[in-house]
Coordinates of all heavy atoms in Angstrom, one line a residue:
M1 N 75.8 126.4 100.0 CA 75.8 125.8 101.3 C 75.5 126.9 102.3 O 76.0 128.0 102.2 CB 77.2 125.3 101.6 CG 77.4 124.9 103.0 SD 79.0 124.2 103.4 CE 78.9 122.7 102.6
E2 N 74.6 126.6 103.2 CA 74.2 127.6 104.2 C 74.6 127.1 105.6 O 74.4 125.9 106.0 CB 72.6 127.8 104.2 CG 72.1 128.3 102.9 CD 70.6 128.5 102.9 OE1 70.1 128.6 104.0 OE2 70.1 128.6 101.9
T3 N 75.2 127.9 106.4 CA 75.6 127.6 107.7 C 74.8 128.4 108.7 O 74.9 128.2 109.9 CB 77.1 127.8 108.0 OG1 77.4 129.2 107.6 CG2 77.9 126.9 107.1
R4 N 74.0 129.4 108.3 CA 73.1 130.1 109.1 C 72.0 130.7 108.1 O 72.2 130.7 106.9 CB 73.8 131.2 109.9 CG 74.5 132.2 109.0 CD 75.2 133.2 109.8 NE 76.6 132.9 109.7 CZ 77.6 133.7 109.9 NH1 77.3 134.9 110.2 NH2 78.8 133.4 109.7
R5 N 70.9 131.1 108.7 CA 69.8 131.5 107.8 C 70.1 132.7 106.9 O 69.6 132.8 105.8 CB 68.6 131.8 108.6 CG 68.0 130.7 109.3 CD 66.8 131.1 110.1 NE 66.3 130.1 110.9 CZ 65.2 129.3 110.7 NH1 64.5 129.6 109.7 NH2 64.9 128.4 111.5
S6 N 70.9 133.6 107.4 CA 71.1 134.8 106.6 C 72.3 134.8 105.6 O 72.4 135.7 104.8 CB 71.4 136.0 107.6 OG 72.6 135.7 108.3
K7 N 73.0 133.7 105.5 CA 74.2 133.7 104.6 C 74.3 132.4 103.9 O 74.3 131.4 104.5 CB 75.5 134.0 105.4 CG 76.7 134.1 104.6 CD 77.9 134.4 105.4 CE 79.1 134.5 104.5 NZ 80.3 134.6 105.2
S8 N 74.5 132.5 102.6 CA 74.8 131.3 101.7 C 76.1 131.5 101.1 O 76.5 132.6 100.8 CB 73.7 131.2 100.6 OG 72.5 130.9 101.2
V9 N 76.8 130.4 100.9 CA 78.1 130.5 100.3 C 78.1 129.6 99.1 O 77.8 128.4 99.2 CB 79.2 130.0 101.3 CG1 80.6 129.9 100.6 CG2 79.3 130.8 102.5
R10 N 78.4 130.1 97.9 CA 78.5 129.3 96.7 C 79.9 128.7 96.6 O 80.9 129.4 96.7 CB 78.3 130.2 95.5 CG 76.9 130.8 95.4 CD 76.7 131.6 94.2 NE 76.3 130.7 93.1 CZ 76.1 131.1 91.9 NH1 76.3 132.4 91.6 NH2 75.7 130.3 91.0
L11 N 79.9 127.4 96.5 CA 81.2 126.7 96.5 C 81.9 126.9 95.1 O 81.2 126.8 94.1 CB 81.0 125.2 96.7 CG 80.5 124.8 98.1 CD1 80.3 123.3 98.2 CD2 81.4 125.3 99.2
S12 N 83.2 127.1 95.2 CA 84.0 127.2 93.9 C 85.4 127.0 94.3 O 85.8 127.1 95.5 CB 83.7 128.5 93.2 OG 84.2 129.6 94.0
D13 N 86.2 126.8 93.3 CA 87.7 126.7 93.5 C 88.3 126.9 92.1 O 87.6 127.2 91.2 CB 88.2 125.5 94.2 CG 87.8 124.2 93.5 OD1 87.6 124.2 92.3 OD2 87.8 123.1 94.2
S14 N 89.6 126.7 92.0 CA 90.3 127.0 90.7 C 89.8 126.0 89.6 O 90.0 126.4 88.4 CB 91.8 126.9 90.9 OG 92.2 125.6 91.3
A15 N 89.2 124.9 89.9 CA 88.8 124.0 88.9 C 87.3 124.0 88.7 O 86.8 123.4 87.8 CB 89.2 122.5 89.3
N16 N 86.6 124.7 89.6 CA 85.1 124.7 89.5 C 84.6 126.1 89.8 O 84.6 126.6 90.9 CB 84.5 123.8 90.6 CG 84.9 122.4 90.5 OD1 84.4 121.7 89.7 ND2 86.0 122.0 91.2
S17 N 84.1 126.8 88.7 CA 83.6 128.2 88.9 C 82.3 128.1 89.7 O 81.6 127.1 89.6 CB 83.5 128.9 87.6 OG 82.4 128.3 86.9
A18 N 82.0 129.2 90.3 CA 80.7 129.3 91.1 C 79.5 129.1 90.2 O 78.5 128.7 90.6 CB 80.7 130.6 91.9
N19 N 79.7 129.4 88.9 CA 78.6 129.3 87.9 C 78.5 127.9 87.3 O 77.5 127.7 86.6 CB 78.7 130.4 86.8 CG 78.5 131.8 87.4 OD1 77.8 131.9 88.3 ND2 79.2 132.7 86.8
D20 N 79.5 127.1 87.5 CA 79.4 125.7 86.9 C 80.2 124.7 87.7 O 81.2 124.2 87.3 CB 80.0 125.8 85.5 CG 79.8 124.5 84.7 OD1 78.9 123.7 85.1 OD2 80.4 124.3 83.6
V21 N 79.8 124.5 88.9 CA 80.4 123.5 89.8 C 80.3 122.1 89.3 O 81.2 121.3 89.3 CB 79.9 123.6 91.2 CG1 80.5 122.5 92.1 CG2 80.3 125.0 91.8
M22 N 79.1 121.8 88.7 CA 78.8 120.5 88.2 C 79.3 120.4 86.7 O 78.5 120.3 85.8 CB 77.4 120.1 88.3 CG 76.9 120.2 89.7 SD 76.0 118.7 90.1 CE 75.4 119.1 91.7
N23 N 80.6 120.5 86.5 CA 81.2 120.6 85.2 C 81.8 119.3 84.7 O 82.7 119.3 83.8 CB 82.3 121.7 85.2 CG 83.4 121.4 86.2 OD1 83.4 120.3 86.8 ND2 84.2 122.4 86.5
S24 N 81.3 118.2 85.2 CA 81.8 116.9 84.7 C 83.3 116.6 85.0 O 83.9 115.9 84.3 CB 81.5 116.6 83.2 OG 80.1 116.6 83.0
G25 N 83.8 117.3 86.0 CA 85.2 117.1 86.4 C 85.4 116.2 87.6 O 84.4 116.0 88.4
I26 N 86.6 115.7 87.8 CA 86.9 115.0 89.0 C 88.1 115.7 89.6 O 89.2 115.7 89.1 CB 87.2 113.5 88.7 CG1 86.0 112.9 88.1 CG2 87.7 112.8 90.0 CD1 86.2 111.4 87.6
T27 N 87.9 116.4 90.7 CA 88.9 117.3 91.3 C 89.0 117.1 92.8 O 88.0 116.7 93.4 CB 88.7 118.8 91.0 OG1 87.5 119.2 91.6 CG2 88.6 119.0 89.5
E28 N 90.2 117.5 93.4 CA 90.4 117.5 94.8 C 91.0 118.8 95.1 O 92.1 119.1 94.7 CB 91.2 116.4 95.3 CG 90.6 115.0 95.1 CD 91.4 113.9 95.7 OE1 92.4 114.2 96.4 OE2 91.1 112.7 95.3
F29 N 90.3 119.7 95.8 CA 90.9 121.0 96.3 C 91.4 121.8 95.1 O 92.4 122.5 95.1 CB 91.9 120.8 97.3 CG 91.5 120.0 98.5 CD1 92.0 118.8 98.7 CD2 90.6 120.5 99.4 CE1 91.6 118.0 99.8 CE2 90.1 119.8 100.5 CZ 90.6 118.5 100.7
G30 N 90.6 121.8 94.0 CA 90.9 122.6 92.8 C 91.9 122.1 91.8 O 92.3 122.7 90.9
T31 N 92.4 120.9 92.0 CA 93.3 120.2 91.1 C 92.8 118.9 90.7 O 91.9 118.4 91.4 CB 94.7 120.1 91.7 OG1 94.7 119.2 92.8 CG2 95.3 121.4 92.1
G32 N 93.4 118.3 89.7 CA 93.0 116.9 89.3 C 93.1 115.9 90.4 O 94.0 116.1 91.3
G33 N 92.2 115.0 90.5 CA 92.2 114.0 91.6 C 93.2 112.9 91.4 O 94.3 113.1 90.8
A34 N 92.9 111.8 91.9 CA 93.8 110.6 91.8 C 94.1 110.2 90.4 O 93.4 110.5 89.5 CB 93.2 109.5 92.6
V35 N 95.2 109.5 90.2 CA 95.5 108.9 88.9 C 94.4 107.9 88.5 O 94.1 107.0 89.3 CB 96.9 108.3 88.9 CG1 97.2 107.7 87.6 CG2 97.9 109.3 89.3
R36 N 93.9 108.1 87.3 CA 92.8 107.3 86.8 C 93.2 106.8 85.4 O 94.0 107.4 84.7 CB 91.5 108.0 86.7 CG 91.1 108.6 88.0 CD 89.8 109.5 87.8 NE 90.1 110.7 87.2 CZ 89.5 111.1 86.0 NH1 88.6 110.4 85.5 NH2 89.8 112.2 85.5
S37 N 92.6 105.7 85.0 CA 92.8 105.2 83.7 C 91.5 104.7 83.1 O 90.9 103.8 83.7 CB 93.8 104.0 83.7 OG 94.0 103.5 82.4
P38 N 90.9 105.3 82.1 CA 91.5 106.4 81.3 C 91.3 107.7 82.1 O 90.4 107.9 82.9 CB 90.6 106.5 80.0 CG 89.3 105.9 80.4 CD 89.6 104.9 81.5
D39 N 92.3 108.7 81.9 CA 92.3 109.9 82.7 C 91.8 111.1 81.8 O 92.6 111.8 81.2 CB 93.7 110.2 83.2 CG 93.8 111.4 84.1 OD1 92.7 111.8 84.5 OD2 94.9 111.8 84.4
R40 N 90.5 111.1 81.7 CA 89.9 112.2 80.8 C 89.6 113.4 81.6 O 89.2 113.3 82.8 CB 88.7 111.6 80.1 CG 89.0 110.5 79.2 CD 87.8 110.1 78.4 NE 88.1 109.1 77.4 CZ 87.9 107.8 77.5 NH1 87.3 107.4 78.6 NH2 88.2 107.0 76.6
T41 N 89.7 114.6 81.0 CA 89.4 115.8 81.7 C 87.9 115.9 81.9 O 87.4 116.3 83.0 CB 89.9 117.0 80.9 OG1 91.3 116.9 80.7 CG2 89.6 118.3 81.6
N42 N 87.1 115.6 80.9 CA 85.7 115.7 81.0 C 85.1 114.3 81.1 O 85.4 113.5 80.3 CB 85.2 116.4 79.7 CG 83.7 116.8 79.8 OD1 83.0 116.3 80.6 ND2 83.3 117.8 79.0
T43 N 84.2 114.1 82.1 CA 83.6 112.8 82.3 C 82.1 113.0 82.2 O 81.4 113.2 83.3 CB 83.9 112.2 83.7 OG1 83.6 113.2 84.7 CG2 85.4 111.9 83.8
P44 N 81.5 113.1 81.0 CA 80.1 113.4 80.9 C 79.2 112.5 81.8 O 79.3 111.3 81.8 CB 79.8 113.1 79.4 CG 81.1 113.3 78.7 CD 82.1 112.8 79.7
G45 N 78.3 113.2 82.5 CA 77.4 112.4 83.3 C 77.8 112.2 84.7 O 77.1 111.7 85.5
Y46 N 79.1 112.6 85.1 CA 79.6 112.3 86.4 C 80.5 113.5 86.8 O 81.3 114.0 86.1 CB 80.4 111.0 86.4 CG 81.0 110.7 87.7 CD1 80.3 110.1 88.7 CD2 82.4 111.0 88.0 CE1 80.8 109.8 89.9 CE2 82.9 110.7 89.2 CZ 82.1 110.1 90.2 OH 82.6 109.8 91.4
D47 N 80.3 113.9 88.1 CA 81.1 115.0 88.6 C 81.5 114.6 90.1 O 80.6 114.1 90.8 CB 80.4 116.3 88.6 CG 81.2 117.4 89.0 OD1 81.3 117.7 90.3 OD2 81.8 118.1 88.2
S48 N 82.7 114.7 90.5 CA 83.1 114.5 91.8 C 84.2 115.5 92.2 O 85.2 115.6 91.6 CB 83.7 113.0 91.9 OG 84.2 112.8 93.2
D49 N 83.9 116.3 93.2 CA 84.8 117.3 93.7 C 85.0 117.3 95.2 O 84.0 117.0 95.9 CB 84.3 118.7 93.3 CG 84.1 118.8 91.8 OD1 85.1 118.6 91.0 OD2 82.9 119.0 91.3
V50 N 86.2 117.6 95.6 CA 86.4 117.8 97.1 C 86.7 119.3 97.3 O 87.6 119.8 96.6 CB 87.6 116.9 97.5 CG1 87.9 117.2 99.0 CG2 87.3 115.5 97.3
F51 N 86.0 119.9 98.2 CA 86.2 121.4 98.4 C 86.7 121.6 99.9 O 86.3 120.8 100.8 CB 84.8 122.1 98.3 CG 84.3 122.2 96.9 CD1 83.4 121.3 96.5 CD2 84.8 123.2 96.0 CE1 82.9 121.4 95.2 CE2 84.3 123.2 94.7 CZ 83.3 122.3 94.3
D52 N 87.4 122.6 100.0 CA 87.9 123.1 101.4 C 86.7 124.0 101.9 O 86.5 125.0 101.3 CB 89.2 123.9 101.3 CG 89.7 124.3 102.6 OD1 88.9 124.2 103.6 OD2 90.8 124.7 102.7
L53 N 86.1 123.6 102.9 CA 84.9 124.3 103.4 C 85.2 125.3 104.6 O 84.3 125.9 105.1 CB 83.8 123.3 103.9 CG 83.3 122.3 102.9 CD1 82.3 121.4 103.5 CD2 82.7 123.0 101.7
R54 N 86.5 125.5 104.9 CA 86.8 126.3 106.0 C 86.2 127.7 105.9 O 85.8 128.3 106.9 CB 88.3 126.4 106.2 CG 88.8 125.2 106.9 CD 90.3 125.3 107.1 NE 90.9 125.0 105.8 CZ 92.2 124.7 105.7 NH1 93.0 124.8 106.7 NH2 92.7 124.4 104.5
G55 N 86.1 128.3 104.7 CA 85.6 129.6 104.5 C 84.1 129.6 104.6 O 83.5 130.7 104.7
A56 N 83.4 128.5 104.5 CA 82.0 128.4 104.5 C 81.4 128.1 105.8 O 80.2 128.4 106.1 CB 81.5 127.4 103.5
L57 N 82.2 127.5 106.7 CA 81.6 127.1 108.0 C 82.0 128.1 109.1 O 83.0 128.8 109.0 CB 82.3 125.8 108.4 CG 82.0 124.6 107.4 CD1 82.8 123.4 107.9 CD2 80.5 124.3 107.3
R58 N 81.1 128.3 110.1 CA 81.4 129.2 111.1 C 81.5 128.5 112.4 O 80.9 127.4 112.7 CB 80.3 130.3 111.3 CG 78.9 129.8 111.7 CD 77.9 130.9 111.8 NE 76.6 130.4 112.0 CZ 76.0 130.3 113.2 NH1 76.6 130.7 114.3 NH2 74.8 129.8 113.2
D59 N 82.3 129.0 113.3 CA 82.6 128.4 114.6 C 81.3 128.3 115.4 O 80.4 129.2 115.4 CB 83.6 129.2 115.5 CG 85.0 129.2 114.9 OD1 85.3 128.2 114.1 OD2 85.8 130.1 115.2
G60 N 81.1 127.2 116.1 CA 79.9 127.0 116.9 C 78.6 126.5 116.2 O 77.6 126.3 116.8
A61 N 78.7 126.4 114.9 CA 77.5 126.0 114.1 C 77.2 124.6 114.5 O 78.0 123.7 114.7 CB 77.8 126.1 112.6
D62 N 75.9 124.3 114.5 CA 75.5 122.9 114.8 C 74.7 122.2 113.7 O 74.2 121.2 113.8 CB 74.7 122.9 116.1 CG 73.4 123.7 116.0 OD1 73.2 124.4 115.0 OD2 72.6 123.6 116.9
R63 N 74.7 122.9 112.5 CA 74.0 122.3 111.4 C 74.5 122.9 110.1 O 75.0 124.0 110.1 CB 72.5 122.3 111.5 CG 72.0 123.7 111.5 CD 70.5 123.7 111.7 NE 70.2 123.0 112.9 CZ 69.7 123.5 114.0 NH1 69.3 124.7 114.1 NH2 69.4 122.8 115.1
V64 N 74.4 122.2 109.0 CA 74.7 122.7 107.7 C 73.6 122.3 106.7 O 73.0 121.2 106.8 CB 76.0 122.0 107.2 CG1 76.3 122.4 105.7 CG2 77.2 122.4 108.0
H65 N 73.1 123.3 105.9 CA 72.1 123.1 105.0 C 72.8 123.1 103.6 O 73.5 124.1 103.3 CB 71.0 124.2 105.0 CG 70.4 124.2 106.4 ND1 69.2 123.5 106.7 CD2 70.7 124.9 107.5 CE1 68.9 123.7 107.9 NE2 69.7 124.6 108.4
V66 N 72.5 122.1 102.8 CA 73.1 122.1 101.4 C 71.9 122.1 100.4 O 70.9 121.4 100.5 CB 73.9 120.8 101.2 CG1 74.4 120.7 99.8 CG2 75.0 120.7 102.3
R67 N 72.1 123.0 99.4 CA 71.1 123.2 98.4 C 71.8 123.0 97.1 O 72.8 123.6 96.8 CB 70.4 124.5 98.5 CG 69.4 124.7 97.4 CD 68.7 126.1 97.6 NE 69.7 127.1 97.8 CZ 69.4 128.4 98.1 NH1 68.2 128.7 98.3 NH2 70.3 129.3 98.2
T68 N 71.3 122.2 96.2 CA 71.9 122.0 94.8 C 70.8 122.4 93.8 O 69.6 122.3 94.1 CB 72.4 120.6 94.6 OG1 71.2 119.7 94.6 CG2 73.4 120.2 95.6
G69 N 71.3 122.8 92.7 CA 70.3 123.1 91.6 C 71.1 123.5 90.4 O 72.3 123.7 90.4
S70 N 70.4 123.7 89.3 CA 71.0 124.1 88.0 C 70.0 124.9 87.2 O 68.8 124.5 87.2 CB 71.4 122.9 87.2 OG 71.9 123.3 86.0
R71 N 70.4 126.0 86.6 CA 69.6 126.7 85.7 C 69.8 126.3 84.2 O 69.0 126.6 83.4 CB 69.9 128.2 85.8 CG 69.5 128.8 87.1 CD 69.8 130.2 87.2 NE 69.4 130.7 88.5 CZ 69.9 131.8 89.0 NH1 70.7 132.5 88.4 NH2 69.5 132.1 90.2
K72 N 70.9 125.5 84.0 CA 71.2 125.1 82.6 C 70.9 123.6 82.3 O 70.3 123.3 81.3 CB 72.7 125.3 82.3 CG 73.2 126.7 82.4 CD 74.6 126.7 82.1 CE 75.2 128.1 82.3 NZ 76.7 128.1 82.1
D73 N 71.3 122.8 83.3 CA 71.2 121.3 83.0 C 70.3 120.7 84.1 O 70.1 121.2 85.2 CB 72.6 120.7 83.1 CG 73.5 121.4 82.1 OD1 73.2 121.5 80.9 OD2 74.7 121.7 82.5
T74 N 69.9 119.5 83.8 CA 69.3 118.6 84.8 C 70.4 118.0 85.7 O 71.3 117.5 85.1 CB 68.4 117.5 84.2 OG1 67.4 118.2 83.4 CG2 67.8 116.7 85.3
A75 N 70.3 118.1 87.0 CA 71.3 117.5 87.9 C 70.7 116.8 89.0 O 69.7 117.2 89.6 CB 72.2 118.7 88.4
W76 N 71.1 115.6 89.2 CA 70.7 114.7 90.3 C 71.8 114.5 91.3 O 73.0 114.2 90.9 CB 70.2 113.4 89.9 CG 69.0 113.4 89.0 CD1 67.7 113.6 89.4 CD2 68.9 113.3 87.6 NE1 66.8 113.6 88.4 CE2 67.6 113.4 87.2 CE3 69.9 113.0 86.6 CZ2 67.1 113.3 85.9 CZ3 69.5 113.0 85.3 CH2 68.1 113.1 85.0
L77 N 71.6 114.8 92.5 CA 72.6 114.6 93.6 C 72.5 113.1 94.0 O 71.5 112.7 94.6 CB 72.4 115.5 94.8 CG 73.4 115.5 95.9 CD1 74.8 115.9 95.3 CD2 73.0 116.4 97.0
G78 N 73.5 112.3 93.6 CA 73.5 110.9 93.9 C 74.1 110.6 95.3 O 73.7 109.7 96.0
A79 N 75.1 111.4 95.7 CA 75.7 111.1 97.0 C 76.4 112.4 97.5 O 76.9 113.2 96.7 CB 76.8 110.0 96.9
L80 N 76.4 112.7 98.8 CA 77.0 113.8 99.3 C 77.8 113.4 100.6 O 77.2 112.7 101.5 CB 76.0 114.9 99.7 CG 76.5 116.1 100.4 CD1 77.4 116.9 99.5 CD2 75.4 116.9 101.0
F81 N 79.1 113.6 100.6 CA 79.9 113.3 101.8 C 80.4 114.6 102.4 O 80.8 115.5 101.7 CB 81.1 112.4 101.4 CG 80.7 111.1 100.8 CD1 80.5 110.9 99.4 CD2 80.5 110.0 101.6 CE1 80.1 109.7 98.9 CE2 80.1 108.8 101.1 CZ 79.9 108.6 99.7
F82 N 80.3 114.6 103.7 CA 80.8 115.8 104.4 C 81.7 115.4 105.5 O 81.4 114.5 106.3 CB 79.5 116.5 105.0 CG 79.8 117.8 105.7 CD1 80.0 119.0 104.9 CD2 79.9 117.9 107.0 CE1 80.3 120.2 105.5 CE2 80.2 119.1 107.7 CZ 80.4 120.2 106.9
Q83 N 82.9 116.0 105.6 CA 83.8 115.6 106.7 C 84.3 116.9 107.4 O 84.6 117.9 106.7 CB 85.0 114.9 106.1 CG 86.1 114.6 107.1 CD 87.3 113.9 106.5 OE1 87.1 113.3 105.4 NE2 88.4 114.0 107.1
A84 N 84.2 116.9 108.7 CA 84.6 118.1 109.4 C 85.5 117.7 110.6 O 85.2 116.7 111.3 CB 83.4 118.9 109.9
D85 N 86.5 118.5 110.9 CA 87.3 118.3 112.1 C 86.7 119.0 113.2 O 86.5 120.3 113.2 CB 88.7 118.9 111.8 CG 89.7 118.6 113.0 OD1 89.2 118.0 114.0 OD2 90.8 119.0 112.9
V86 N 86.2 118.3 114.2 CA 85.4 118.9 115.3 C 86.2 119.0 116.6 O 85.7 119.3 117.6 CB 84.1 118.2 115.6 CG1 83.2 118.3 114.4 CG2 84.4 116.7 115.9
R87 N 87.5 118.9 116.5 CA 88.4 119.1 117.7 C 88.3 120.5 118.1 O 88.4 121.4 117.3 CB 89.8 118.7 117.4 CG 90.0 117.2 117.1 CD 91.4 116.8 116.8 NE 91.6 117.2 115.4 CZ 92.7 117.1 114.8 NH1 93.8 116.7 115.4 NH2 92.8 117.5 113.5
P88 N 88.3 120.7 119.4 CA 88.3 122.1 120.0 C 89.6 122.8 119.7 O 90.6 122.3 119.5 CB 88.1 122.0 121.5 CG 88.2 120.5 121.8 CD 88.2 119.8 120.5

């Protein structure tokens, strides 16, 4: 994720290493997500993660650039949701 031209931030947390964010997991802020049935740890072909972006965003920014890619696997970005609190 880029918030300015000179700096990129690789997203990661305790459930998603910076080298394998698309790890077929379903997590929220580094832990397992909502209760699911069946509740499998690995969901081949699907990955859904919620990250805390406070460390990646800078005050006063007016745009965010997102870049995805993989050196190991083929990955398609099907949907991207972004939520930010813009209160002063």
Side-chain angles (χ1 to χ4, degrees):
M1 170 178 288
E2 296 180 24
T3 56
R4 60 184 105 158
R5 290 181 192 254
S6 62
K7 184 178 180 187
S8 293
V9 176
R10 294 180 87 183
L11 295 180
S12 65
D13 58 24
S14 60
N16 299 280
S17 72
N19 293 328
D20 192 14
V21 173
M22 303 230 184
N23 56 9
S24 297
I26 299 176
T27 65
E28 293 182 16
F29 305 110
T31 62
V35 176
R36 302 174 289 123
S37 179
D39 189 11
R40 297 189 175 100
T41 303
N42 190 338
T43 56
Y46 179 80
D47 185 272
S48 176
D49 302 301
V50 177
F51 292 97
D52 183 349
L53 301 178
R54 284 180 278 194
L57 303 177
R58 68 178 168 101
D59 292 338
D62 62 353
R63 63 187 53 116
V64 173
H65 300 271
V66 177
R67 182 176 49 187
T68 62
S70 173
R71 292 183 181 157
K72 298 178 186 178
D73 304 312
T74 301
W76 293 284
L77 183 62
L80 175 68
F81 296 92
F82 185 82
Q83 177 179 338
D85 184 358
V86 294
R87 292 180 280 177

